[in-house]
Amino acid sequence: MADVLAVVDDGGDEDEAAAVTGVARAVAEILRTGIREIHLAPGSGARETAATVLRELERTSTLLGVLADGAPPGVMSWWVVRRCTKPVVLLPPSPAPVVPPTTPVTPVARGTPLTPHHVISRVLLPLDGSFEAAAAVIETARLFTRTGVDLVVLHVFDEVTVPRFWDQAAHARQAWEQEFLARHCACPGVRLELRSGVAGEQVVSVAAAEHVDLIALGWSQHLDEGRARTVRETLAGARVPVMLIPVARHEETSSGESGPRERPAR
């Protein structure tokens, strides 16, 4: 049976572990499947731990994984997501959980920290306009919309890519938006938000303004100097989990890297 993998660090704090399993359950509910937990023993070597997690993620039955965020790049979670062929959800250092749909409570804004459980009802999907990124995330986008998730697509212009319509009539912008969605995210009910500026900053800003429960990002799995800036800035600033979807498998670097750095002592 297919499942969502929750990677629980038994050497971490209880809130972090609860957040990992809570997000895994929320994703599994969308996928209409179950979750499977693996527990990382305290004191395990980083290289051995990372290899174990990667092996579990690459099992045929695993649809995707949920891990606590690792910062800086180089710790176990980052080593894994650079090599995994499956989507991986990374939690922010201080995630803002929301209530599960089965819990009757007074209505509150999304992201209010109430319980370690999550419900995913709105997702932000940043797209850079490349066909590679769109192809990587389209099945995920379709899944979200089929299951009733409110999907918000974000495209950020910079000084080079900003179109002529930006300061022109509204109908020109509307036509551009329709064409963009038709080319890159042809799913029913999707809403497109346009911004101008630094992509990572805008992703964090729009995620907060839209009260999203998850950010889904296609990425190249490269963390070389000058690469993955949007991913880095999103994970550093977002208050909600971030799903990283591999655009394509990358070749191993020739830097001699053989494993992640040891996790610092807590």
Side-chain angles (χ1 to χ4, degrees):
M1 177 181 177
D3 53 43
V4 173
L5 181 69
V7 181
V8 180
D9 185 356
D10 286 343
D13 58 58
E14 293 182 1
D15 289 343
E16 179 183 276
V20 168
T21 55
V23 171
R25 289 192 183 98
V27 176
E29 182 175 337
I30 293 174
L31 297 175
R32 294 182 172 86
T33 189
I35 75 166
R36 175 170 54 92
E37 296 183 15
I38 62 168
H39 291 259
L40 308 181
S44 300
R47 193 172 302 176
E48 177 184 352
T49 298
T52 298
V53 172
L54 184 60
R55 184 169 58 251
E56 291 296 320
L57 281 167
E58 293 296 343
R59 286 175 53 170
T60 304
S61 62
T62 304
L63 298 175
L64 57 85
V66 180
L67 293 78
D69 178 30
V75 297
M76 186 274 294
S77 59
W78 280 98
W79 190 89
V80 170
V81 297
R82 289 186 63 195
R83 291 158 176 79
C84 185
T85 62
K86 313 285 183 67
V88 175
V89 178
L90 292 181
L91 272 60
S94 300
V98 296
V99 294
T102 55
T103 304
V105 295
T106 303
V108 293
R110 287 188 183 88
T112 302
L114 294 175
T115 76
H117 304 287
H118 288 64
V119 57
I120 298 173
S121 59
R122 180 173 295 167
V123 173
L124 181 66
L125 180 64
L127 291 175
D128 62 7
S130 69
F131 289 105
E132 293 81 5
V137 303
I138 187 59
E139 289 305 319
T140 302
R142 289 170 178 162
L143 176 63
F144 284 140
T145 56
R146 283 199 304 265
T147 54
V149 173
D150 181 17
L151 186 61
V152 181
V153 172
L154 171 66
H155 181 66
V156 181
F157 300 112
D158 58 26
E159 295 179 354
V160 176
T161 62
V162 63
R164 295 179 180 179
F165 73 72
W166 199 248
D167 296 318
Q168 295 180 8
H171 67 82
R173 173 169 176 158
Q174 183 178 14
W176 190 95
E177 291 177 352
Q178 292 174 348
E179 181 178 356
F180 183 90
L181 287 177
R183 285 174 175 267
H184 302 290
C185 191
C187 299
V190 173
R191 175 162 50 91
L192 176 62
E193 290 290 325
L194 299 178
R195 295 293 188 274
S196 179
V198 178
E201 295 176 0
Q202 292 297 331
V203 170
V204 173
S205 176
V206 173
E210 293 287 340
H211 304 290
V212 304
D213 307 303
L214 178 75
I215 301 169
L217 274 172
W219 81 305
S220 66
Q221 296 181 285
H222 286 290
L223 281 174
D224 306 317
E225 186 69 27
R227 304 290 295 273
R229 179 180 176 185
T230 299
V231 169
R232 294 173 191 266
E233 293 179 349
T234 298
L235 286 168
R239 288 274 294 159
V240 296
V242 179
M243 177 186 290
L244 298 180
I245 305 170
V247 169
R249 290 291 291 157
H250 71 279
E251 296 296 328
E252 292 292 332
T253 63
S254 58
S255 61
E257 179 185 24
S258 58
R261 296 194 298 269
E262 295 291 328
R263 286 179 290 179
R266 295 183 182 273

